[in-house]
């Protein structure tokens, strides 16, 4: 019975009140009323009406229920080859017994959907298999959006009811030992391919269970990919490569969905292969290709509200792991103080990301996050820490046409009085809009950063004129 409880799907009309299940008359059999024996009693109107033809969905749910009932309860769901074989065998037998007139295409589609429901993530599986989709957003059972090429699209994918969405959430979080219920209605998780998942359920969500999946690329983007997408120019990446090799500390800042993690992943690929790298994330997303990488992941509290290991503790612990570089997937809170201290105490060449609308806002956010650590420091002392630790800020934006661009590469030059001095090295200059596409160019400002001297000392040479003028 445990197998049935794990994979059984509710029949049409079986959901709770308010689950938006259609209330049209259902056919006889599972999911609909069964007429009295002999068919001699009941409403005369029903007796004389033409029989209601079952929809593809109704037939699928009915066949699915029979397939689940006939599966071996001791079947190991992790053995997908054997599970698929049994599903296909039982499906063919049930279709023959029912005498259903299905086209070959309908038969293949129904078998695929039933298989997805039993061993996959149900209606979400086709969306997860589509490599052109970068994000999947389930807003309750009847509204599923996707992001493709930076634009949102409403799909025709629907769930049966709230319980159906909840079962998919449970299937996502169960393998990693996390939970979601009324006492803990929010959860972060990841799929087996590394895709990041967030779920939030009633009573916090008023539209039903909500799932947001940031898909994980099987093959990480490279410098050439980002140049092709127009994210940055070859000169900008030559400069950023030199910054990483020269062990400058940098932050990638930007809004939600602007491509910060993708850019951080590409920048991390410039780290030499002979260095020990420690990565720290809430949900592991970075795909470093170096040999010597230690990946750490924070842990949420258990069912009793205890046992949480936040990113801040992992950053402090990483300092005892002899790292050459520390990469924090995202600074959101007090871990910023530990990250700045690490950058200031010999762990140069470290990187992180943060949410901010501009390089100046990123510095302000760092000040705020340091205060969130609970330390009683004057603002000037915090700014001195920030100015001494951070060398470069790479600002990324998702523009209105859906494209993602690096719009500023900004040097942090130091303090003048109580103000942190900054200087743009590269900027994006918008020139217009043509057929909904933003036109512009990524260009150097003509100003040579102060730390270029460090490049020369380390034997790193940039092409003449990379900053807009030969020097």
């Amino acid at each position: 019975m445990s197998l049935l409880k794990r994979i059984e799907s509710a029949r049409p009309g079986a959901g709770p009140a308010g689950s938006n299940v259609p209330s049209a008359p259902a056919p006889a059999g599972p999911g609909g009323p069964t007429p009295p024996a002999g068919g001699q009693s009941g409403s005369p109107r029903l007796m004389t009406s033409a029989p209601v033809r079952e929809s593809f969905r109704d037939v699928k749910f009915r066949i699915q229920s029979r397939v689940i009932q006939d599966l071996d309860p001791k079947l190991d769901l992790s053995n997908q080859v054997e599970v698929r074989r049994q599903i296909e065998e039982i499906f063919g037998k049930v279709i023959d017994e029912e005498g259903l007139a299905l086209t070959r295409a309908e038969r293949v589609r129904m078998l695929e959907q039933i298989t997805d429901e039993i061993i996959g993530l149900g209606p979400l599986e086709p969306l997860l298999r589509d490599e052109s989709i970068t994000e999947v957003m389930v807003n309750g059972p009847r509204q599923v959006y996707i992001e493709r090429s930076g634009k949102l699209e409403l799909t025709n994918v629907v769930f049966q009811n709230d319980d159906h969405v909840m079962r998919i959430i449970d299937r996502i979080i169960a393998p990693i030992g996390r939970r979601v219920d009324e006492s803990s209605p929010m959860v972060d998780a990841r799929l087996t391919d590394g895709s990041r998942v967030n779920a939030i359920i009633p009573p916090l969500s008023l539209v039903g269970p909500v799932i947001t999946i940031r898909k994980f690329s099987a093959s990480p983007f490279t410098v050439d990919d980002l140049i092709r997408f127009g994210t940055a120019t070859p000169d900008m990446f030559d400069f950023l490569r030199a910054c990483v090799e020269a062990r400058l500390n940098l932050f990638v800042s930007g809004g939600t969905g602007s491509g910060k993690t993708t850019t951080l992943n590409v920048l991390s690929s410039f780290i030499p292969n002979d260095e020990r790298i420690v990565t720290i994330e809430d949900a592991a997303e970075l795909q470093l290709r170096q040999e010597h990488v230690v990946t750490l992941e924070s842990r949420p509290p258990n069912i009793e509200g205890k046992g949480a290991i936040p990113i801040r503790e992992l950053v402090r612990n990483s300092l005892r792991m002899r790292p050459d570089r520390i990469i924090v997937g995202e600074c959101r809170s007090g871990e910023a103080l530990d990250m700045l201290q690490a950058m200031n105490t010999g762990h140069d060449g470290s990187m992180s990301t943060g949410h901010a609308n501009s390089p100046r806002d990123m510095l302000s956010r760092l000040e705020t996050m340091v205060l969130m650590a609970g330390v009683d420091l004057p603002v000037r002392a915090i700014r001195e820490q920030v100015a001494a630790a951070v060398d470069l800020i790479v600002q990324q934006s998702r523009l209105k046409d859906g494209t993602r661009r690096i719009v500023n590469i900004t040097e942090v030059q130091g303090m003048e009085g109580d103000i942190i001095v900054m200087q743009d090295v590269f900027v994006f200059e918008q020139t217009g809009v043509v057929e909904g596409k933003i036109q512009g160019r990524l260009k150097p400002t003509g100003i040579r950063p102060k730390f270029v001297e460090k490049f020369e000392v380390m034997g790193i040479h940039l092409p003449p004129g990379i900053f807009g003028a030969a020097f």
Side-chain angles (χ1 to χ4, degrees):
M1 290 302 292
S2 60
L3 176 71
L4 300 183
K5 287 179 181 177
R6 280 186 289 153
I7 63 178
E8 184 178 15
S9 296
R11 297 169 297 185
S19 61
N20 297 325
V21 177
S23 57
T34 303
Q40 298 303 315
S41 62
S43 166
R45 183 181 173 192
L46 290 177
M47 295 280 294
T48 56
S49 297
V52 179
R53 184 180 182 276
E54 284 185 295
S55 68
F56 179 87
R57 278 183 63 209
D58 293 336
V59 173
K60 187 200 83 170
F61 289 138
R62 183 157 54 80
I63 300 301
Q64 181 175 298
S65 294
R66 288 199 56 186
V67 171
I68 291 172
Q69 288 171 6
D70 290 351
L71 274 175
D72 181 358
K74 297 179 181 177
L75 187 63
D76 179 7
L77 291 178
S78 63
N79 185 353
Q80 294 203 0
V81 174
E82 176 59 21
V83 175
R84 286 179 183 276
R85 188 194 65 76
Q86 277 204 33
I87 291 172
E88 191 168 349
E89 185 179 297
I90 297 169
F91 175 80
K93 183 181 71 173
V94 171
I95 291 292
D96 292 342
E97 288 176 1
E98 296 262 348
L100 293 173
L102 297 175
T103 65
R104 178 175 177 77
E106 287 176 331
R107 189 174 175 129
V108 169
R109 181 157 64 102
M110 186 178 293
L111 175 59
E112 187 177 78
Q113 290 181 4
I114 290 174
T115 304
D116 287 342
E117 198 65 55
I118 293 174
I119 61 175
L121 299 182
L124 298 182
E125 281 292 332
L127 304 180
L128 297 175
R129 285 193 288 263
D130 187 338
E131 293 184 359
S132 68
I133 295 173
T134 53
E135 196 132 10
V136 179
M137 293 146 278
V138 179
N139 303 338
R142 298 292 166 186
Q143 197 178 64
V144 179
Y145 280 89
I146 59 169
E147 182 191 70
R148 183 186 274 123
S149 302
K151 293 288 190 179
L152 296 182
E153 302 173 21
L154 178 64
T155 70
N156 59 1
V157 173
V158 294
F159 291 78
Q160 292 167 256
N161 47 43
D162 285 358
D163 287 344
H164 191 187
V165 185
M166 287 298 300
R167 281 194 298 277
I168 299 303
I169 294 175
D170 287 337
R171 189 168 296 172
I172 291 171
I173 65 177
I176 57 174
R178 298 192 178 176
R179 68 188 181 93
V180 63
D181 51 37
E182 275 198 27
S183 63
S184 178
M186 298 182 292
V187 67
D188 288 310
R190 69 175 184 273
L191 302 180
T192 52
D193 67 354
S195 297
R196 189 174 72 198
V197 182
N198 173 268
I200 182 166
I201 67 171
L204 299 188
S205 168
L206 303 184
V207 297
V210 174
I211 308 172
T212 309
I213 302 175
R214 175 74 57 83
K215 286 181 61 182
F216 197 70
S217 176
S219 53
F221 290 126
T222 64
V223 171
D224 291 339
D225 291 326
L226 296 196
I227 291 173
R228 190 174 71 252
F229 299 153
T231 301
T233 64
D235 280 350
M236 291 166 77
F237 276 119
D238 285 343
F239 172 69
L240 290 173
R241 182 189 296 273
C243 291
V244 173
E245 291 177 353
R247 302 182 66 86
L248 300 184
N249 296 318
L250 61 87
F251 273 84
V252 180
S253 71
T256 301
S258 59
K260 299 185 297 297
T261 303
T262 299
T263 297
L264 182 65
N265 211 52
V266 169
L267 294 181
S268 69
S269 70
F270 300 148
I271 298 174
N273 202 42
D274 60 353
E275 295 187 17
R276 176 175 169 85
I277 307 166
V278 177
T279 70
I280 303 167
E281 300 173 85
D282 268 334
E285 289 182 273
L286 294 172
Q287 296 171 285
L288 273 67
R289 297 303 187 193
Q290 288 84 348
E291 292 178 7
H292 199 161
V293 179
V294 179
T295 303
L296 305 180
E297 188 176 64
S298 63
R299 187 176 73 187
N302 60 20
I303 195 168
E304 297 171 349
K306 300 177 181 178
I309 307 292
I311 281 185
R312 186 172 187 194
E313 284 192 37
L314 294 178
V315 172
R316 285 201 296 257
N317 187 78
S318 70
L319 300 178
R320 298 188 287 270
M321 297 173 66
R322 200 261 177 220
D324 287 309
R325 312 247 187 172
I326 300 171
I327 301 178
V328 176
E330 182 179 341
C331 280
R332 296 191 185 95
S333 186
E335 63 270 8
L337 174 60
D338 301 284
M339 187 71 177
L340 292 174
Q341 288 179 331
M343 290 174 168
N344 273 328
T345 55
H347 299 90
D348 47 355
S350 296
M351 310 177 197
S352 186
T353 72
H355 281 83
N357 294 324
S358 70
R360 176 66 64 183
D361 287 346
M362 187 67 240
L363 296 186
S364 298
R365 285 269 297 140
L366 283 172
E367 290 177 32
T368 304
M369 289 188 282
V370 168
L371 292 171
M372 291 168 71
V375 296
D376 188 15
L377 288 173
V379 172
R380 180 179 173 82
I382 296 174
R383 287 181 181 171
E384 286 175 346
Q385 282 265 4
V386 172
V390 182
D391 298 303
L392 198 70
I393 294 177
V394 179
Q395 181 70 33
Q396 184 132 353
S397 292
R398 182 177 60 180
L399 306 182
K400 287 186 176 180
D401 62 355
T403 57
R404 294 169 171 87
R405 300 274 176 91
I406 292 176
V407 294
N408 297 86
I409 297 179
T410 305
E411 177 192 13
V412 179
Q413 295 185 326
M415 294 281 292
E416 279 190 10
D418 290 337
I419 304 299
I420 299 176
V421 179
M422 309 175 71
Q423 178 61 57
D424 285 336
V425 182
F426 291 89
V427 296
F428 173 71
E429 183 181 76
Q430 184 172 330
T431 56
V433 180
V434 177
E435 296 180 354
K437 292 289 184 183
I438 291 177
Q439 305 296 306
R441 61 195 181 111
L442 296 154
K443 64 172 192 174
T445 60
I447 296 174
R448 182 188 187 203
K450 290 182 177 180
F451 49 67
V452 166
E453 294 174 0
K454 190 174 182 180
F455 295 171
E456 295 166 356
V457 170
M458 297 184 69
I460 300 169
H461 302 289
L462 291 172
I466 192 172
F467 300 115
F471 61 87

